[in-house]
């Protein structure tokens, strides 16, 4: 018999023994046990030990299985169990526990499990397991991102991230939008900012050269220069101009070297694109969409929100409710500049019509002046992307940025230029590669129509929803300059 087959038999014998040991009982999730299971029934949970306490021969285990922030308390009489087994069950160990669900005398929990049988799946040696009972800093937890899911904080954050992703799909599906998968590898630069990661299979130690001395991309995998997308918008527009209303929800990549608590090199973006919407329809959708998501979180993520509010941001739930209950302020860029000039403040970055607004300006408008979310429209065309619809004044475009308290820009969008000549002129003016956009331009040649869209940065949204202050803490595996661990 081959060694592999012997191993297989031994491994399966182990599984059989375990199942017999646990009486083939079905596992119940902790969330369900705490919420609904009646006291007096026999149950089985599986999860990871968060804490262990020994009090006069009674062992108390707090077990968590990720289904909720709350733990189930397991009570085991030490005398009934193997001493070695109990010694090995420490913080971080994974276990299956079978026993009777009884009403709890302990504070803050309805029920607990009186353990009859315990299986230890995997130990976590307290000498070396990095997550101990004491709180750890978020910075330290970033260094052990492979284990940080096991903390209350990251359990809450990533359950909420899931809930928001689900709510986003639900919102658009209920409205009749079509989820369109736009490519991750592209040949164009949507934002024209040149902040792209190259995609290549060329041998970097021996790059084939063209006659001009540059890299010969005709020898590359796609026979042209390609990169990771910075936005699915351009392809999204193609879909909207046939399917009517679409949205994308996927990863986007920006090689901008900004090491800030608001920027990632890989982030997720939600980009709805709608035919026959003007800029006002676009703003209305953005506001309705954000309020829907806030409401969804308040209704469906309450335990996690309560935890995050108590631990990180006392004002979190109140702020969510405030934003939900109040209309966003809508002003033009020109008005914004006027307010900032009149603020009587000394700005780190100068305020002057034509210059882009910086975080300090955005935060002043939102947090000090209006004290609510602000949508700024009609930015100077020189500081916005080529595809935005040009206003009659020849100076501004129908852009819109949605700014949130504590964060700044969460959404960037616009009405799109649907006029073929104006769009082509703008591409040429900006020195963009016209040939990269031939297919995009054709939508303006054939059946062009007014349309609009925007992009919501998913992690910026998650900062707002969770009250976390660093974007690295709302994405499972952050990619930032000089950091692509895990
Ligand atoms: O304002 P941006 O650059 O807009 C676009 O990409 C448009 N094509 C969207 C559209 O109209 N369909 O980016 C949109 C949003 C920003 O408002 C911000 O929330 C987020 O994406 N974002 C980032 N989030 C994290 N890290 C970064 N480096 C980000 N850059 C933009
Ligand atoms: Mg923007």
């Amino acid at each position: 018999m081959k060694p592999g087959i012997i191993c297989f038999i031994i491994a399966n014998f182990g599984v059989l023994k375990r199942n017999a040991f646990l009486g083939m009982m079905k596992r119940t999730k902790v969330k369900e046990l705490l919420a609904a299971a009646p006291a007096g029934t026999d149950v089985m949970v599986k999860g990871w030990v968060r804490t262990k306490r020994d009090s006069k021969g009674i062992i108390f285990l707090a077990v968590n299985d990720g289904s909720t922030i709350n733990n189930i308390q397991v009570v085991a009489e030490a005398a009934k169990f193997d001493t070695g087994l109990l010694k090995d069950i420490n913080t971080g160990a994974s276990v299956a526990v079978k026993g009777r669900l009884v009403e709890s005398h302990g504070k803050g929990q309805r029920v607990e499990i009186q353990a009859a049988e315990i299986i230890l799946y995997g130990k976590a040696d307290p000498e070396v397991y990095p997550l101990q009972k004491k709180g750890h800093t978020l910075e330290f937890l970033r260094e052990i991102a492979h284990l940080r899911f096991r903390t209350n904080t990251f359990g809450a954050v990533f359950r909420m991230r899931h809930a928001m992703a689900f709510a986003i799909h639900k919102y658009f599906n209920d409205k009749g939008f079509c989820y369109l998968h736009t490519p991750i590898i592209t040949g164009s630069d949507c934002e024209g900012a040149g902040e792209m990661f190259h995609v290549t299979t060329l041998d970097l130690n021996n790059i084939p050269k063209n006659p001009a001395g540059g890299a010969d991309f005709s020898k590359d995998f796609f026979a042209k220069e390609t990169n990771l997308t910075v936005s699915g918008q351009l392809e999204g527009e193609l879909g909207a101009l046939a399917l009517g209303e679409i949205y994308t929800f996927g990863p986007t990549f920006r090689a901008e070297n900004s090491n800030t608590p608001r920027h990632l090199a890989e982030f997720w973006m939600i980009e709805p694109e709608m035919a026959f919407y003007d800029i006002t329809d676009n703003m209305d959708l953005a506001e309705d969409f954000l309020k829907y998501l806030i409401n969804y979180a308040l209704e469906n993520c309450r335990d996690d929100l309560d935890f995050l509010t108590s631990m990180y941001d006392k004002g979190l739930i109140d702020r969510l409710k405030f934003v939900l209950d109040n209309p966003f302020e809508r002003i033009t860029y020109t008005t914004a500049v006027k307010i900032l000039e009149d603020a009587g403040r000394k700005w780190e970055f100068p305020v002057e019509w034509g210059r882009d607004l910086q975080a300090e300006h955005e935060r002043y408008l939102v947090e000090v002046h209006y004290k609510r979310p602000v949508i700024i429209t009609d930015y100077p065309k020189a500081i916005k992307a080529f595809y935005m619809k040009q206003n009659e004044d020849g100076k501004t475009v129908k852009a819109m940025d949605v700014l949130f308290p504590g964060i700044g820009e969460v959404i960037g969008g616009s009405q799109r230029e649907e006029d073929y000549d104006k769009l082509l002129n703008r591409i040429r003016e900006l020195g963009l590669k016209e040939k990269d956009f031939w297919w995009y331009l054709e939508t303006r040649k054939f059946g062009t129509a007014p349309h609009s869209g925007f992009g919501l940065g998913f992690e910026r949204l998650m900062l707002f929803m969770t009250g976390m202050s660093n974007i690295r803490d709302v994405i499972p595996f952050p990619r930032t300059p000089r950091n692509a661990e895990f």
Side-chain angles (χ1 to χ4, degrees):
M1 209 185 295
K2 286 186 185 155
I5 296 174
I6 298 171
C7 285
F8 178 80
I9 291 173
I10 292 172
N12 280 287
F13 182 64
V15 169
L16 281 179
K17 249 181 25 189
R18 273 179 195 167
N19 283 344
F21 180 64
L22 288 167
M24 296 292 187
M25 187 175 234
K26 221 174 145 252
R27 163 197 178 204
T28 312
K29 297 257 190 110
V30 172
K31 185 178 182 181
E32 211 180 304
L33 281 182
L34 293 175
T41 44
D42 285 329
V43 297
M44 178 168 67
V45 283
K46 295 183 178 186
W48 292 265
V49 174
R50 281 292 167 79
T51 58
K52 174 186 177 185
R53 188 160 56 83
D54 187 342
S55 170
K56 296 180 204 132
I58 309 285
I59 310 284
F60 296 92
L61 304 175
V63 176
N64 187 283
D65 67 359
S67 60
T68 158
I69 188 133
N70 300 309
N71 306 323
I72 184 97
Q73 173 155 286
V74 171
V75 184
E77 277 178 54
K80 289 191 185 161
F81 294 88
D82 180 75
T83 326
L85 173 83
L86 290 182
K87 202 168 144 274
D88 281 344
I89 297 180
N90 292 300
T91 297
S94 59
V95 292
V97 178
K98 194 175 133 182
R100 177 73 43 97
L101 195 69
V102 297
E103 270 172 35
S104 176
H105 300 301
K107 249 203 180 149
Q109 64 218 356
R110 189 180 64 88
V111 286
E112 62 189 28
I113 299 175
Q114 214 82 57
E117 297 167 22
I118 301 177
I119 276 189
L120 174 61
Y121 288 121
K123 311 192 257 195
D125 182 350
E127 295 293 317
V128 282
Y129 183 57
L131 289 174
Q132 292 305 323
K133 210 166 158 183
K134 69 175 173 68
H136 299 286
T137 65
L138 295 170
E139 288 78 11
F140 170 72
L141 292 173
R142 255 172 246 147
E143 287 167 21
I144 51 162
H146 58 304
L147 297 174
R148 68 176 178 168
F149 298 103
R150 301 175 182 206
T151 62
N152 283 333
T153 298
F154 288 95
V157 167
F158 294 124
R159 266 188 304 275
M160 282 195 66
R161 187 176 162 111
H162 159 77
M164 286 297 96
F166 176 79
I168 286 162
H169 285 298
K170 181 162 165 48
Y171 177 82
F172 286 121
N173 183 63
D174 290 354
K175 275 189 134 33
F177 281 56
C178 184
Y179 179 29
L180 195 74
H181 295 100
T182 49
I184 287 171
I185 300 173
T186 72
S188 57
D189 178 4
C190 173
E191 295 306 300
E195 293 167 333
M196 296 175 304
F197 290 99
H198 286 289
V199 173
T200 181
T201 52
L202 292 179
D203 177 357
L204 295 183
N205 294 313
N206 187 18
I207 299 173
K209 293 284 163 68
N210 60 27
D216 181 1
F217 289 106
S218 72
K219 303 257 166 34
D220 205 346
F221 188 91
F222 297 107
K224 64 184 284 194
E225 198 175 347
T226 52
N227 46 271
L228 296 177
T229 190
V230 298
S231 160
Q233 176 197 325
L234 301 187
E235 291 90 351
E237 285 186 49
L238 313 182
L241 290 169
L243 294 159
E245 293 164 328
I246 65 95
Y247 70 105
T248 72
F249 187 174
T252 46
F253 307 86
R254 295 196 185 177
E256 57 186 322
N257 202 356
S258 19
N259 234 324
T260 80
R262 312 261 176 277
H263 288 88
L264 290 163
E266 176 180 290
F267 63 100
W268 287 65
M269 209 188 332
I270 301 99
E271 295 183 90
E273 192 69 36
M274 301 75 62
F276 312 116
Y277 276 48
D278 65 15
I279 187 75
T280 306
D281 301 326
N282 205 23
M283 285 191 276
D284 291 345
L285 181 76
E287 185 167 342
D288 185 63
F289 175 46
L290 290 167
K291 286 181 171 173
Y292 175 91
L293 297 177
I294 294 170
N295 188 52
Y296 188 93
L298 287 168
E299 284 186 355
N300 295 279
C301 308
R302 204 49 200 247
D303 286 351
D304 291 326
L305 275 176
D306 284 340
F307 172 80
L308 293 167
T309 300
S310 71
M311 289 298 289
Y312 292 100
D313 182 352
K314 300 279 181 275
L316 174 61
I317 290 181
D318 288 343
R319 193 161 58 248
L320 293 178
K321 286 184 179 160
F322 179 82
V323 170
L324 179 64
D325 292 340
N326 289 282
F328 296 3
E329 194 69 42
R330 298 180 184 192
I331 59 169
T332 64
Y333 167 88
T334 304
T335 304
V337 168
K338 180 110 190 32
I339 292 168
L340 294 167
E341 280 171 346
D342 294 347
R345 291 215 170 186
K346 204 152 166 40
W347 304 109
E348 192 187 338
F349 295 91
V351 173
E352 189 190 343
W353 201 99
R355 281 180 190 266
D356 208 355
L357 301 179
Q358 301 297 323
E360 57 170 339
H361 311 133
E362 296 178 342
R363 294 190 64 166
Y364 175 83
L365 292 166
V366 173
E367 289 158 29
V368 182
H369 191 83
Y370 287 111
K371 298 196 173 64
R372 65 180 60 196
V374 176
I375 310 183
I376 302 184
T377 58
D378 303 289
Y379 282 80
K381 72 175 179 186
I383 58 170
K384 288 292 184 188
F386 73 96
Y387 51 71
M388 296 192 180
K389 186 169 175 63
Q390 297 164 40
N391 280 322
E392 303 280 290
D393 63 11
K395 292 190 300 190
T396 58
V397 286
K398 290 192 193 302
M400 61 171 231
D401 277 9
V402 181
L403 314 180
F404 260 22
I407 292 155
E409 179 188 338
V410 288
I411 280 181
S414 75
Q415 187 167 336
R416 316 306 189 191
E417 184 56 77
E418 83 263 25
D419 183 281
Y420 179 84
D421 295 321
K422 284 188 184 161
L423 185 62
L424 182 61
N425 279 340
R426 195 72 191 124
I427 288 175
R428 286 181 179 159
E429 259 171 39
L430 290 169
L432 300 175
K433 290 187 207 142
E434 199 176 314
K435 69 172 179 26
D436 287 351
F437 297 104
W438 69 271
W439 43 272
Y440 184 70
L441 281 159
E442 284 210 347
T443 57
R444 275 62 169 176
K445 255 194 217 166
F446 310 125
T448 191
H451 63 289
S452 300
F454 60 81
L456 167 67
F458 191 40
E459 287 75 21
R460 299 261 176 104
L461 172 80
M462 290 315 302
L463 283 174
F464 181 71
M465 289 301 203
T466 59
M468 302 302 282
S469 49
N470 193 313
I471 202 161
R472 292 164 181 78
D473 296 331
V474 294
I475 186 165
F477 304 104
R479 266 72 182 112
T480 49
R482 308 184 62 79
N483 170 41
E485 194 62 46
F486 310 105

